[in-house]
Amino acid sequence: MRLTIAEIARALGAEPWGDAGAEVTGAAEPGAAGPTELALAMAPKYAENLRPGALALLAPGMDPAAHGLRAAIVVPRPRLAMAGLTRAFDPDPAIAPGIHPSAVIDPDAQIGEGAAIGPFVSIGAGVRIGPRARIGAGASIGHGTRIGADVLIGPRVAILHNVAIGERAILHAGSVIGADGFSFVTETTSGVEEIRESLGQRGEAAAAPEATEAGPHWHRIHSLGGVKIGDDVEIGANATVDAGTIRATRVGSGTKIDNLVHVGHNVIVGRDCLLCGQAGIAGSTRIGDRVVLGGQCGVSDNIFVGDDVIAGGATKIYSNVPAGRVILGPAGLKMETELEARRNIRRLPRMVAQLAEMRDTLARLTRKD
């Protein structure tokens, strides 16, 4: 794909500088950009890597002439401009228009106008595919599922039955939507239920040999509620969103879910959230709007995380979090509290040495007395 500097500037709402007709074939870091690639000098510190005669995307205050550039686009927020720039150069997935002859589609399914169905796709009874949807090779869509317009479903995505997906959603390769939730029950009160009520204390019967040998017999609680996903949602590769038990698991419009994230059954995720890689949300938890969970965050079941909460990477959340709080660490503390605790931990060796010195001093003084 080739675009001129003028075309890119117009798409980004910016003004071109220099040779506006120069053709651009892609983007690269400043030190690696070729003669037809746009060097992404997103801050002044990258300017030293710009080559004379280069084409560049510059931050405010940077002077194209001072760097000997051939052409440039100065944008007010370079990182935001990257969204439009990368979208312009991102090639569409190779899904040919129409329905591939190897696809298996139930006669009761309805395929919207302009939809593209790749090879070896399986579509069940009662499925409704919206206009211009694109479905990659090997994807599977279970019966009764509804998929909105302009949705992109990657290869090997598994969408089970009773799922509703809004418009313009993107599901990356290998994601699984609507699998059964992990929910089981025993005929009598299990150890898990007991310690949940007692916060760790177990009765004597639990340790009896006959009880241990018999063990619990787990009965599946089936998932009937399905999944409802809003508009403009993105779900990463190998991420999973489990079906609800009775009511649907929900993901609000605009939310972005990274690779390898797990959303448990009955969870409600609000609008415009960011759930980063390997985060896990246990069943029946509610996540507010605009919440950010950093990588490897773990959220306990049956709690509420308020609007605009930001949890740093590897934070563990065991109880309700009020709206707007910034938390961090294995105890889900306020970020400033967690950082102070970490500083104190680093001080411990010195404090132990000081305490030992004080003890020795006290012992000497005591002997003299």
Side-chain angles (χ1 to χ4, degrees):
M1 178 182 294
R2 291 178 178 269
L3 298 172
T4 66
I5 288 288
E7 290 170 333
I8 296 172
R10 186 163 52 251
L12 299 179
E15 291 294 325
W17 178 93
D19 183 3
E23 289 190 333
V24 179
T25 59
E29 295 180 354
T36 63
E37 291 180 309
L38 194 65
L40 303 180
M42 297 171 58
K45 63 182 179 180
Y46 301 122
E48 62 185 34
N49 294 322
L50 288 170
R51 299 171 180 173
L55 313 175
L57 181 76
L58 302 181
M62 298 177 68
D63 182 5
H67 302 294
L69 300 179
R70 176 185 170 194
I73 304 169
V74 180
V75 292
R77 182 161 155 73
R79 186 165 175 80
L80 180 61
M82 278 192 66
L85 180 66
T86 53
R87 181 171 59 247
F89 284 101
D90 187 17
D92 280 340
I95 304 174
I99 299 174
H100 194 276
S102 65
V104 179
I105 302 175
D106 189 276
D108 188 44
Q110 295 182 9
I111 310 298
E113 183 179 358
I117 311 297
F120 304 108
V121 169
S122 172
I123 299 177
V127 171
R128 303 292 182 265
I129 307 291
R132 300 173 302 281
R134 293 172 292 170
I135 302 176
S140 174
I141 302 174
H143 62 82
T145 286
R146 305 289 192 271
I147 294 174
D150 300 298
V151 167
L152 173 60
I153 297 173
R156 302 181 310 284
V157 169
I159 303 173
L160 284 83
H161 61 277
N162 196 21
V163 172
I165 299 175
E167 298 183 351
R168 299 174 301 279
I170 299 174
L171 278 63
H172 290 278
S175 54
V176 179
I177 312 300
D180 265 12
F182 192 73
S183 188
F184 299 87
V185 65
T186 52
E187 295 175 8
T188 59
T189 302
S190 69
V192 174
E193 292 173 289
E194 185 179 355
I195 65 171
R196 188 181 186 89
E197 292 296 324
S198 64
L199 298 180
Q201 299 300 317
R202 300 193 68 175
E204 294 182 3
E210 57 272 13
T212 303
E213 291 169 6
H217 180 67
W218 297 102
H219 297 272
R220 171 183 292 278
I221 298 176
H222 293 256
S223 299
L224 309 179
V227 176
K228 295 186 183 301
I229 294 173
D231 299 333
D232 302 298
V233 170
E234 186 158 346
I235 298 178
N238 294 322
T240 59
V241 181
D242 285 351
T245 305
I246 300 298
R247 59 175 170 84
T249 301
R250 294 178 178 269
V251 178
S253 294
T255 286
K256 314 301 181 186
I257 298 177
D258 197 2
N259 301 341
L260 297 170
V261 169
H262 175 64
V263 178
H265 64 279
N266 298 343
V267 167
I268 297 176
V269 179
R271 301 172 63 93
D272 296 311
C273 295
L274 288 179
L275 311 182
C276 302
Q278 297 184 345
I281 305 172
S284 299
T285 282
R286 291 180 296 138
I287 306 292
D289 296 337
R290 300 173 301 279
V291 170
V292 177
L293 300 181
Q296 295 189 335
C297 276
V299 185
S300 188
D301 61 294
N302 290 280
I303 64 173
F304 174 68
V305 178
D307 294 347
D308 301 297
V309 166
I310 298 177
T315 296
K316 301 298 177 279
I317 305 174
Y318 300 105
S319 58
N320 296 340
V321 182
R325 182 161 291 184
V326 181
I327 59 176
L328 181 67
L333 301 176
K334 287 184 178 180
M335 182 171 283
E336 58 268 29
T337 303
E338 174 68 20
L339 293 176
E340 178 62 24
R342 292 183 183 185
R343 285 192 289 268
N344 290 335
I345 289 172
R346 289 196 294 271
R347 296 184 183 116
L348 282 176
R350 185 172 72 247
M351 294 172 65
V352 170
Q354 291 171 340
L355 181 60
E357 184 179 351
M358 292 171 61
R359 182 188 59 199
D360 293 342
T361 301
L362 181 60
R364 288 195 302 270
L365 292 174
T366 302
R367 284 196 299 270
K368 287 179 181 180
D369 291 341

